[in-house]
Amino acid sequence: MELENKGVKGSQLKNMIIKKLYFNKAMSCAGLSELFDKSIPSIAKAVNELMHEGFVVEDGYAPSSGGRRPLMYSVKSNAMYILAIALDQLTARIQLFDLLNNAVADMLTFELKLLNNPDALAKLTEQINSYIKNSSVPKEKIAGIGIGMPGFINVTEGINYTYLDANGQSLTAYLTAKTGITTYIDNDSSLIALAEQKFGIAKSQNEVMVINLGWGIGLGMIVNGKLFRGHNGFAGELSHIPLSEDGALCECGKRGCLEAEASMLVVAQKAIAGIKQGRVTSLKYNSNDHSKLMGDALLEAANNGDQFAIELLSDAGYKIGKALAILIHIMNPAIIVLSGRGAKVAKILMAPIQQALHKYCIPRLAGGTELLVSELGFDAELVGAAVLVMENFDKTVKAKVSKAAKAVV
C-alpha cells in the first residue's frame, strides 16, 4: 500500500510552523519570521490559513517587555494525534497523544518478547490496528506512528537488524502498509535522549548524554544540539563497554560487558538467585514468574527500604558509574541524565555512581559534568516516539492529514 506524502494544504512553510509550535508551545509571528528568515506578512498569512484550517489557535499575548505585546499562537491540541509505541525486550506500550503531548486514550501494555520470537511483528501489528480501531480517533487524524525499540536500527532504511525482521524489507514500510499510517522507528535510547532534550530536564541543552536504564543500559547522545548517531547510525552502545575480562557472558557473545553486569534484567536475576539462597528480603519469587516481574518488584522494594534490593542496585550503580567515567573522559558532556525505567530508583543509584566517578574519573572532568535524574522517567520513550513523528512532520506528511482539522473547525 503506497501512501502519497504531501504537506498540509500543500505548504511546506505551514508544516514547518506546526512543527515549531509543537516543540515551542507558543510563538509570535515575529518570532517565527526570525526563525525561518521569512517576512512577517508571509508568516502571518500562513498562520491565518492554519487558524482557518483548524491547526493553530491564538494563545494570548506575550509578557510585556516594554513595548507592544505580541500575539502568541499555538497548535490546536485536537487538530491531529500521534500514536506512540515504546518497546523493550519484553513489553510493548501503546499510547495516543494529542499535539500537546496529553494522553487521549488509555495506555495499552502487553507482553512482547522480541528475542527469538518470529511472531513478534505480527502480534505488534495486530495490537496497533486493534488499538486504533478501539480508540475514538479517526485514522485520518493520526499524523503518524512513532516506535522506539532496542536493537541496531538503520533509521534511513527503517530496518532493525536485531529484532522484528520483516523478511528483509523495511520495517517502516511494512508497518505503514499494514496500518495505513506513516510509521517511523528509532532506537529506544535515542528517542529517550530526544524526549529529554525537547521536553525533559535537558530541554534546549546542546551537550547531553542520556542513560536509558532499562532491562539493558542504553545511551542517547546529544552533540552540538543534535542527536549523534556516528558513522553508520549505531553510536551509543554504552552497554557493551567491557568492565572486566572474565565477567558474565553477554548476549553479544563477549564477557564482562556493562549490560551483562549491571542491567536491570541482570539485577533481577541476581535477586532471584539471592532469594533461592535464603537472603532476607521482602521480595517474593514464584518459579512461574519471569525476570520482568521481579525487576518491577525490586525497584518498588528498594524505594521502600528493602536492604537486599538496595544492595543489588548499589552494586549495579557502581558499575554504571565506572562506565560513565569512561564516557566523561571521551565526550566531556555538560550533563548526564539518568532516564528510562530505572529513573524510579535513580536516587539510590546516585551515591554509588558518584563513588565510582570519584575513583575512576579525572576530577577536573567529573567536576564539569552535572548528573541529573529525569523527570519524564519511564514515560520518556513514549514521549520520544511522539517527538519522532513531529521531527519528520515537515518532511513527509500524509495527504490525509490536511483533512484532519476539518472535523474540529
Side-chain angles (χ1 to χ4, degrees), residues 3 16 36 76 79 102 121 144 151 161 191 249 288 303 328 399 408:
L3 295 176
M16 292 164 61
F36 296 133
K76 190 170 185 179
N102 297 312
L121 182 55
Y161 294 108
L191 292 189
L249 181 66
N288 294 322
N303 280 331
I328 290 171
V408 296

Side-chain angles (χ1 to χ4, degrees), residues 104-125:
V104 295
D106 291 338
M107 182 191 300
L108 172 65
T109 302
F110 57 96
E111 289 188 11
L112 186 70
K113 183 182 177 182
L114 296 183
L115 184 65
N116 299 324
N117 182 5
D119 299 323
L121 182 55
K123 181 177 180 180
L124 175 63
T125 304

Side-chain angles (χ1 to χ4, degrees), residues 277-338:
Q277 293 167 7
R279 290 296 302 268
V280 176
T281 175
S282 62
L283 293 167
K284 306 296 181 184
Y285 173 65
N286 185 311
S287 59
N288 294 322
D289 293 343
H290 47 64
S291 297
K292 176 186 177 301
L293 293 175
M294 176 56 69
D296 290 335
L298 185 140
L299 299 182
E300 194 70 34
N303 280 331
N304 288 331
D306 186 286
Q307 293 301 302
F308 179 50
I310 293 172
E311 176 186 321
L312 290 173
L313 288 172
S314 296
D315 178 65
Y318 186 81
K319 292 172 180 175
I320 291 169
K322 187 175 181 180
L324 293 188
I326 298 172
L327 182 64
I328 290 171
H329 286 154
I330 295 172
M331 299 302 296
N332 186 29
I335 294 172
I336 293 178
V337 178
L338 302 181

Side-chain angles (χ1 to χ4, degrees), residues 62 75 95 104 118 149 151 161 226 241 266 294 312 315 388 395:
V75 290
Q95 181 72 76
V104 295
M149 59 184 73
Y161 294 108
K226 296 180 180 180
I241 284 181
V266 167
M294 176 56 69
L312 290 173
D315 178 65
L388 177 63
K395 301 171 186 175

Side-chain angles (χ1 to χ4, degrees), residues 95-215:
Q95 181 72 76
L96 194 65
F97 291 105
D98 64 18
L99 290 183
L100 296 181
N101 284 340
N102 297 312
V104 295
D106 291 338
M107 182 191 300
L108 172 65
T109 302
F110 57 96
E111 289 188 11
L112 186 70
K113 183 182 177 182
L114 296 183
L115 184 65
N116 299 324
N117 182 5
D119 299 323
L121 182 55
K123 181 177 180 180
L124 175 63
T125 304
E126 178 185 354
Q127 293 286 0
I128 292 172
N129 284 324
S130 177
Y131 185 90
I132 294 170
K133 182 178 179 181
N134 292 331
S135 74
S136 58
V137 175
K139 184 181 290 189
E140 60 268 18
K141 290 192 66 177
I142 300 177
I145 299 174
I147 308 179
M149 59 184 73
F152 293 110
I153 296 174
N154 183 321
V155 176
T156 304
E157 299 295 332
I159 296 174
N160 188 335
Y161 294 108
T162 312
Y163 305 113
L164 298 176
D165 178 35
N167 294 320
Q169 67 174 303
S170 166
L171 184 57
T172 53
Y174 175 90
L175 290 169
T176 297
K178 291 294 185 180
T179 63
I181 300 173
T182 303
T183 302
Y184 307 93
I185 67 169
D186 206 336
N187 178 266
D188 52 353
S189 298
S190 294
L191 292 189
I192 288 173
L194 278 177
E196 296 293 351
Q197 187 204 30
K198 299 296 185 181
F199 296 110
I201 198 166
K203 185 172 175 59
S204 302
Q205 292 291 328
N206 289 325
E207 310 292 334
V208 185
M209 302 291 107
V210 180
I211 310 302
N212 174 18
L213 299 173
W215 298 126

Side-chain angles (χ1 to χ4, degrees), residues 28-30 60-65 67-73:
S28 66
C29 284
Y61 289 92
S64 176
S65 59
R68 183 178 179 182
R69 294 190 300 164
L71 185 59
M72 306 295 284
Y73 300 92

